[in-house]
Amino acid sequence: MNTEKLAKLQNQVRIGGKGTPRRKVKKVTKSSAGGDDRKLQASLQKLGVQPLGGIEEVNMFKDNGKVIHFAAPRVQAAVNANTFAIHGRAVEKELTELVPNILNQLGPDSLASLRKLAEAYTAAQGGAGAGAEDDDEIPDLVESFDKAEVEEKKEEKKASA
């Protein structure tokens, strides 16, 4: 037998038994995302979750100072099982990006980390802007406003006379 022909035949795969044509096998990968989502929805239904309406945003605070932010999420809750499911697009942001809007959401741990962040920011600003501080000083008040007002009235009287 010819070795080249033999090598070519060995590379081909026979799917069926004797007498079936040789065909190459197409490997099909199944996407498990659809199956996982169905399993998750089935387990949530077993818990008896109910949708919660009127929730505009969800923020989850991490230990490293970052926040997982969901804008307009779909929230479901099973209060008896103490389970909440949040569906939506999550974005990881810095705490400083969300500070003005989330002050009422912060707990004691997050407030402590915010305080540390503010101290670090002021220290960085203090070290960098120490030379520029002298230019922004407010000058001391030399005269009182009452004396200046009296002098203006005297000048007006002299000008009118």
Side-chain angles (χ1 to χ4, degrees), residues 76-152:
Q76 296 175 320
V79 180
N80 58 353
N82 196 21
T83 304
F84 294 88
I86 301 167
H87 305 271
R89 185 169 300 276
V91 178
E92 188 170 312
K93 295 185 176 182
E94 291 290 332
L95 184 62
T96 54
E97 294 178 37
L98 302 171
V99 165
N101 299 330
I102 62 169
L103 286 177
N104 59 349
Q105 300 174 8
L106 295 176
D109 298 337
S110 299
L111 281 175
S113 66
L114 182 63
R115 190 174 293 122
K116 289 177 188 176
L117 187 66
E119 289 171 359
Y121 180 73
T122 54
Q125 290 295 328
E133 238 177 72
D134 297 334
D135 296 339
D136 295 337
E137 284 186 18
I138 299 173
D140 295 332
L141 184 63
V142 179
E143 299 178 358
S144 69
F145 292 111
D146 296 333
K147 288 182 184 178
E149 186 177 339
V150 171
E151 289 177 5
E152 284 179 13

Side-chain angles (χ1 to χ4, degrees), residues 16-48:
K18 186 177 179 183
T20 58
R22 294 183 178 105
R23 294 191 185 127
K24 296 209 177 204
V25 176
K26 294 181 183 178
K27 294 190 177 185
V28 178
T29 56
K30 294 181 182 178
S31 72
S32 62
D36 290 344
D37 191 38
R38 277 181 277 162
K39 287 180 183 178
L40 177 65
Q41 290 300 327
S43 349
L44 287 173
Q45 290 303 321
K46 286 180 187 176
L47 290 174

